[in-house]
Amino acid sequence: MAVYTDITELELGALLKEYDVGDLLSYKGIAEGSENSNYMLHTSKAAFILTLYERRVERSDLPFFLGLMEHLAQNGVNCPLPVHRRDGVVVSEIAERPAALITFLEGMWLRKPAPRHCREVGKAMAGMHLAGQGFELTRPNALTVGDWRPLWEKAKPRADEVEPGLVSEVEADLAALTAGWPQDLPTGIIHADLFPDNVFFLGDEVSGIIDFYFACNDLLAYDIATCLNAWCFEADGSYNLTKGMALLEGYQSVRPLEQAEIAALPLLARGSALRFMLTRLYDWLTIPDGALVNKRDPMEYVRRLRFHRQISSPSEYGIGIK
């Protein structure tokens, strides 16, 4: 979440008249995140999130994202729901941006998740994968292996300013991943961005999953690889084997992995690390000054890339260890 576009009280008041949500009491921008503009709203009836879609979100994808939230909620996944206007529409417009009003989900995201939390995230992700079955709309992953080269070319001219030698490293990674990317693993709806700030907890229990604006149809194991990157590395860059083991055990307690998925984890984790490094690198170099946005350090994922290159067996992530 972030704020790129400012909105006024008058604009917001006019928008809320289209909904049956009560009168506006307060609102404020939410700085966390990097993709869309988000505001926390309190009305006389409830609390809501207003999202203005910017940057990497296409208006044509909104029926998929918003419909997916409703489908998952109907199938047992705790997630926010789009609020329908009085005319039944869920996509509005404010400040010349497409926008949606979303229900507020109770809970908080964890800055320092423990292994027990990683286990619960694994379970929740597997449950989401199963619940996504039967969703009629489809959306290809717009940031998968074939999309990394065009993104890289935009950042490549200045990449060595961030880390000397980064250009040669990334070129080697792109070549290896493009040549070896698996094509025949189980697919389905994935979240594709299940970082700690997109999972809310109440105590040690997952209270819900948010921010489905990268969700798509892709390899289910790729979602797991992204979670290993997001949840199982420490601040010093080291991989926490105990967290990895817990996350993978939690996932497999709900949806057991095929052997081919397990074998592909090192390559998928390397690819996921490259994908997030590239978007962070591009944002680091191009994000506008003055936007209420947290810029995320691409070097965090450069270090993950270097770790994954050295992996010789999926057991090094904690799978199959007793």
Side-chain angles (χ1 to χ4, degrees):
M1 297 182 176
V3 174
Y4 291 92
T5 301
D6 289 326
I7 57 175
T8 67
E9 184 178 349
L10 288 176
E11 289 174 312
L12 186 52
L15 176 69
L16 293 184
K17 289 180 181 178
E18 300 178 19
Y19 298 86
D20 184 20
V21 295
D23 298 323
L24 179 66
L25 300 179
S26 66
Y27 75 103
K28 65 178 180 179
I30 302 173
E32 293 172 342
S34 57
E35 299 302 328
N36 301 310
S37 294
N38 289 274
Y39 289 86
M40 180 72 189
L41 276 59
H42 289 275
T43 76
S44 55
K45 287 192 175 182
F48 301 93
I49 300 294
L50 176 66
T51 297
L52 282 63
Y53 298 103
E54 326 228 19
R55 311 194 72 227
R56 298 189 179 103
V57 177
E58 298 291 338
R59 187 177 191 131
S60 59
D61 286 331
L62 294 180
F64 176 90
F65 298 139
L66 300 174
L68 177 62
M69 293 181 201
E70 293 185 317
H71 174 86
L72 293 176
Q74 291 165 4
N75 287 275
V77 176
N78 289 332
C79 63
L81 288 171
V83 180
H84 291 249
R85 298 187 326 202
R86 290 189 174 92
D87 61 5
V89 174
V90 293
V91 179
S92 295
E93 187 166 304
I94 186 171
E96 300 181 345
R97 302 287 193 277
L101 195 64
I102 308 295
T103 58
F104 179 74
L105 188 69
E106 291 290 346
M108 65 179 184
W109 71 271
L110 304 177
R111 270 66 175 176
K112 294 183 178 181
R116 64 184 182 277
H117 302 121
C118 294
R119 181 174 288 103
E120 294 306 308
V121 168
K123 291 179 181 178
M125 176 171 49
M128 182 192 67
H129 287 169
L130 295 178
Q133 297 174 358
F135 183 54
E136 294 181 353
L137 300 182
T138 61
R139 176 182 180 268
N141 190 346
L143 283 169
T144 191
V145 60
D147 307 290
W148 298 338
R149 168 63 66 178
L151 183 58
W152 167 238
E153 292 298 331
K154 295 177 182 178
K156 180 178 176 180
R158 296 180 57 199
D160 279 354
E161 297 176 21
V162 176
E163 171 81 353
L166 187 57
V167 169
S168 60
E169 280 194 59
V170 172
E171 287 291 343
D173 283 319
L174 278 171
L177 292 165
T178 301
W181 200 249
Q183 303 294 327
D184 55 354
L185 301 180
T187 61
I189 299 289
I190 69 169
H191 186 283
D193 193 36
L194 203 60
F195 278 64
D197 57 350
N198 287 331
V199 181
F200 284 3
F201 281 80
L202 287 173
D204 289 339
E205 301 293 325
V206 172
S207 63
I209 297 172
I210 68 168
D211 202 351
F212 287 88
Y213 301 116
F214 284 108
C216 57
N217 297 81
D218 206 338
L219 305 177
L220 298 178
Y222 178 70
D223 228 10
I224 300 170
T226 294
C227 278
L228 290 174
N229 277 316
W231 289 82
C232 302
F233 282 84
E234 300 300 334
D236 64 1
S238 63
Y239 181 75
N240 188 315
L241 186 63
T242 304
K243 289 183 178 179
M245 189 186 315
L247 190 148
L248 291 162
E249 286 178 349
Y251 186 93
Q252 292 207 96
S253 71
V254 177
R255 177 188 170 264
L257 292 170
E258 296 182 3
Q259 285 302 310
E261 292 179 288
I262 294 172
L265 278 178
L267 190 70
L268 295 173
R270 182 178 175 187
S272 172
L274 180 64
R275 171 261 185 269
F276 285 98
M277 189 284 290
L278 288 174
T279 50
R280 288 184 177 204
L281 178 65
Y282 178 79
D283 290 348
W284 191 262
L285 296 172
T286 64
I287 210 161
D289 293 333
L292 186 57
V293 178
N294 288 334
K295 293 176 68 171
R296 295 176 174 176
D297 185 0
M299 287 306 300
E300 181 180 358
Y301 271 76
V302 171
R303 290 187 285 271
R304 283 164 175 62
L305 268 170
R306 291 168 181 166
F307 171 83
H308 296 307
R309 289 186 204 127
Q310 307 305 314
I311 293 292
S312 59
S313 168
S315 64
E316 294 178 63
Y317 294 113
I319 195 162
I321 297 176
K322 300 295 183 181

